[in-house]
Each structure stands twice: as C-alpha cells, then as structure tokens.
Amino acid sequence: MMFMTLFLLVKIFSIVTSEESNNTSLSENMSDNKTGRRKVSLPYMVSIHNTIVGKDIEKVCNGFFIGPNWVMTTAHCFDGDKINKTLIKYAVSDYSLNPNTTVIAKDIIKHPDYYNKSLINDLALVRVRLKPAHIKLVSYLLANEYGIKWRKFSEEKSRCITIGYDKNNYNDTKLKVKKIFIRNDPNACGCFATNPELLCGTSRTNESDLCFDNYGGPLVCNGLATGVANRLLHCNQQENDKCNEETYYRFTNLCPYFHWIYEYVDVFPDECFAHKAGLLSSSAYPAISASIDIILIFVLIIT
C-alpha cells in the first residue's frame, strides 16, 4: 500500500511538472510588458532580408528553423519585385545589427499551390548551409504532430503565442512575442471566410494595441510549431494603426502540409494526426495525455 501511494504521488508530480514546463518553456528568455508583447531571444528565429534588383531597399520577413539547414516562412515573402539576393540572419534578437551569423539562401521552394491573390497555401522552405561552428548557435522548432482539429460546430480556443520582428508597425527591429487565442472553426476569422487549412486568432489582451504583423513567424502552441503567420484581417475600420477585438491574426495551419514539408525536410513528421484522422480535440496531445494519467490515478485510488 505504501508503495502504491508513493507511486501515485510521483505520478501526480510528474504531470504537474510537465504542464508547468509546457507553459514556461518559452518564458525564460522573455520580459513582459503591459501590451502582451515580449522581447525575446529564441535560437530558432531568423529574419529574412530580400535585396530588390535595381532598388536600394530590402524586404524583411520572418522565418524559423524547422530542421538542420531548413527555414520555414511564407511564400508571399518572395512576391513582388525581382529579388537579387536573400540573406538570412540568425541567432540575433535585433536584426538591425550586423552580426557574423548570416547566410545566403541556397534554395527557395514555394508551395506548388500557392495563390498570391488570396495568400492560400502560403508556405515556403528556404535551404541554407550554416558554418560548422554556427550549428550549435541555432535550434529548430519541433512540429505539433497533433495539431488543432477543425471544429465545425464549436468555437474552442487554444492559448498560443506568435513570434517575430515587426518594423512596419512598431518601427522596431527587435524580436517580439504576441499572446493570442487561436481557433479552427468556420467563424474563427470573424467576418472573413476560412477553412481547415487556416487558423485565426485574437489578442489575449483587452486593450487596443498597435497591430503586430509578423508574417512568416511561427504560431507556437504548447511549445510546438502549429502555424505560420499569414496576414492581418480587419472587420472594422482601423484607427491610427490600432488593432482591437475585431482584428484577426491569420495563420497557415501547418497540419495539412506535413507531407509536402517532409519531402524536403526529412526530420519533419510526415503526417499530422489531427488532419489525417480527426480524432483529437483542439487541445494539444500533452494535455490529453495528462487527462488520461489523472483518470488512471483516480481508478487506482478507488480500487
């Protein structure tokens, strides 16, 4: 009996510790402020700098490592004028700096069904080759293999964050984090139509705020890559570049694209269980596992 009691205590402690770890794993390199954004330094984040042919300007996008020498971003990062060179800056929290942690893109692979009018299938893979001494400076963001299931008749919310640089709205080149609620249902994007290949979120802070437009940056739920920032949607008139409860942060849902990504990035999962089977709720798998463990403990106690 004493052994069983000890076993149950250890099990409960491991569940609580696991859940706390999921909630705090990204916070150790952040500093809070009143707007829900955080300054952050994360080794999987990159800034993508496109030099435009014949123009003394560069277009900057966000991206993140999903495997050794592979960066995920949006396809529309490479739309518009002809690009002369694509430079990737990594292991920096402020892309205005000129570090020696830069690399030229070797290949840029857009999703074959990308449509630039509506920004559907808006994904691109960038292949790079890091210096051997720099490999230890970066890490890659693991994929959420259990995803967020499409909910046709409910409006469940997941607590997530999105990360990126946003000079356009903030005139700031430092890495930031925005806390958001994410949904995957027909009404997730408010007045805009949506589908299971897209995720939409709203700010987790109540006050009006400057819009955070970090296209190409990751949507991170339970510490795992779940989507890629696609565009901002506004269901009412903007005032002074402010966002409010009628502003929606739209993301490309990574789950339906696992097989395409796996064709190039062999460390990436080749299937997403939520997309294939539709068996899981919008809660991520660790939470489900914890619930199962708690049920098991309860059964052991009463028996």
Side-chain angles (χ1 to χ4, degrees):
M1 184 64 184
M2 182 177 295
F3 174 78
M4 181 59 70
T5 301
L6 180 60
F7 167 77
L8 295 177
L9 288 173
V10 171
K11 189 65 174 176
I12 292 171
F13 177 77
S14 66
I15 293 171
V16 172
T17 302
S18 176
E19 290 303 300
E20 288 179 350
S21 176
N22 285 335
N23 292 330
T24 61
S25 59
L26 291 174
S27 64
E28 59 190 48
N29 293 321
M30 303 176 185
S31 58
D32 283 304
N33 63 28
K34 294 181 180 179
T35 63
R37 300 181 307 277
R38 297 176 177 183
K39 293 182 179 180
V40 57
S41 176
L42 292 171
Y44 51 74
M45 286 299 301
V46 306
S47 59
I48 301 171
H49 302 255
N50 293 320
T51 303
I52 307 302
V53 173
K55 296 182 179 180
D56 188 25
I57 60 172
E58 66 174 16
K59 179 181 179 181
V60 181
C61 313
N62 295 276
F64 56 100
F65 280 102
I66 59 168
N69 297 319
W70 284 100
V71 169
M72 171 68 74
T73 186
T74 61
H76 83 263
C77 177
F78 308 101
D79 284 350
D81 296 324
K82 185 177 180 180
I83 296 172
N84 179 48
K85 180 179 67 174
T86 297
L87 180 72
I88 311 294
K89 291 185 180 183
Y90 56 93
V92 293
S93 59
D94 183 347
Y95 73 68
S96 66
L97 304 176
N98 293 306
N100 62 356
T101 51
T102 61
V103 64
I104 300 296
K106 296 290 185 182
D107 292 302
I108 298 169
I109 305 166
K110 294 183 181 181
H111 191 277
D113 297 323
Y114 167 59
Y115 184 55
N116 64 0
K117 301 298 183 183
S118 59
L119 302 186
I120 301 300
N121 304 311
D122 186 20
L123 294 177
L125 296 169
V126 181
R127 186 174 68 87
V128 299
R129 187 178 297 277
L130 299 182
K131 299 176 183 178
H134 287 184
I135 293 176
K136 63 183 179 181
L137 299 178
V138 304
S139 65
Y140 54 90
L141 188 56
L142 298 178
N144 187 348
E145 296 182 59
Y146 293 87
I148 297 179
K149 184 185 173 185
W150 173 256
R151 291 285 180 176
K152 190 173 182 179
F153 301 108
S154 65
E155 299 181 354
E156 293 189 18
K157 295 180 180 179
S158 297
R159 296 168 67 90
C160 304
I161 61 172
T162 185
I163 310 167
Y165 308 89
D166 186 20
K167 182 174 175 60
N168 291 335
N169 291 313
Y170 287 101
N171 194 28
D172 192 343
T173 56
K174 296 182 177 64
L175 203 56
K176 293 181 177 62
V177 167
K178 179 75 175 178
K179 298 185 290 186
I180 54 177
F181 289 114
I182 284 293
R183 287 166 45 191
N184 191 12
D185 61 72
N187 300 312
C189 296
C191 62
F192 293 86
T194 189
N195 60 56
E197 283 71 44
L198 298 168
L199 301 169
C200 270
T202 53
S203 175
R204 282 160 56 186
T205 57
N206 294 324
E207 69 274 11
S208 294
D209 196 5
L210 285 170
C211 298
F212 183 49
D213 193 2
N214 63 321
Y215 61 88
L219 172 69
V220 181
C221 304
N222 284 327
L224 301 170
T226 306
V228 179
N230 170 256
R231 63 178 300 184
L232 288 177
L233 303 174
H234 302 280
C235 286
N236 58 9
Q237 184 67 33
Q238 285 181 269
E239 296 181 3
N240 300 322
D241 297 322
K242 292 292 183 75
C243 285
N244 55 33
E245 66 275 4
E246 291 299 319
T247 301
Y248 295 86
Y249 297 81
R250 195 174 79 172
F251 300 85
T252 301
N253 184 5
L254 281 178
C255 206
Y257 301 96
F258 273 34
H259 186 69
W260 173 73
I261 299 169
Y262 175 73
E263 289 179 355
Y264 299 96
V265 187
D266 58 7
V267 299
F268 202 86
D270 64 345
E271 65 178 10
C272 179
F273 299 108
H275 180 68
K276 180 180 179 180
L279 297 177
L280 299 179
S281 71
S282 61
S283 299
Y285 180 73
I288 294 174
S289 176
S291 298
I292 293 172
D293 285 338
I294 291 171
I295 292 171
L296 174 61
I297 290 170
F298 178 74
V299 170
L300 288 172
I301 290 174
I302 64 175
T303 56

